[in-house]
Amino acid sequence: MIASLSIILICQLIGEVIVRGLRLPLPGPVIGLALLFALMILRDRYTALARGPLRDNAVEGTAKGMLAHLSLLFVPAGVGVVQNLDLLAQRGVAIALVLAASVVVTLLVTAGTFLIISRLMVRRRQSP
């Protein structure tokens, strides 16, 4: 499990280095996740890579274990909110309005993206 966790963290570290080195406007873990995904595809395609922590779906098992305890990662964020209760008291209404607006925008963009992709998939199926 430690070796599998190391692979996940190394991919995240490489993603952070790439993002900071190239000054990309993306979170480093997103690049790290793409790297991990590519590594898993290469492992499945080339059996020579299925060694050590990459064999027997060890990385997948470790990732599932981490996802099972994902709620623990919200504890530091909750502590941060509690530490800034005075800020929430001063600007709570503005923060709530911004959060509500961002939720609406996120829902609209998600629905729009779904509709566009759905229409593209229907066109692709209908074309000969």
Side-chain angles (χ1 to χ4, degrees), residues 16-31:
E16 288 285 347
V17 169
I18 289 172
V19 164
R20 290 177 192 245
L22 299 176
R23 297 181 185 202
L24 297 174
L26 290 171
V30 172
I31 301 294

Side-chain angles (χ1 to χ4, degrees), residues 2-3 5 37 46 61 78 80 95 113-115 117 126:
I2 297 296
L5 185 60
F37 181 67
Y46 303 107
I95 292 171
T113 303
F114 175 77
L115 289 174
I117 297 297
Q126 292 175 348

Side-chain angles (χ1 to χ4, degrees), residues 14-95:
I14 292 171
E16 288 285 347
V17 169
I18 289 172
V19 164
R20 290 177 192 245
L22 299 176
R23 297 181 185 202
L24 297 174
L26 290 171
V30 172
I31 301 294
L33 184 63
L35 289 172
L36 183 63
F37 181 67
L39 182 63
M40 295 297 107
I41 288 176
L42 289 173
R43 179 206 58 191
D44 291 341
R45 182 166 290 183
Y46 303 107
T47 56
L49 290 175
R51 294 181 179 183
L54 291 177
R55 69 171 186 244
D56 299 331
N57 294 328
V59 174
E60 287 89 341
T62 301
K64 285 179 184 175
M66 290 174 64
L67 286 175
H69 302 291
L70 187 63
S71 60
L72 291 175
L73 298 177
F74 290 102
V75 171
V79 170
V81 169
V82 170
Q83 285 180 339
N84 292 315
L85 282 178
D86 56 336
L87 182 64
L88 281 176
Q90 292 173 353
R91 300 183 181 162
V93 174
I95 292 171

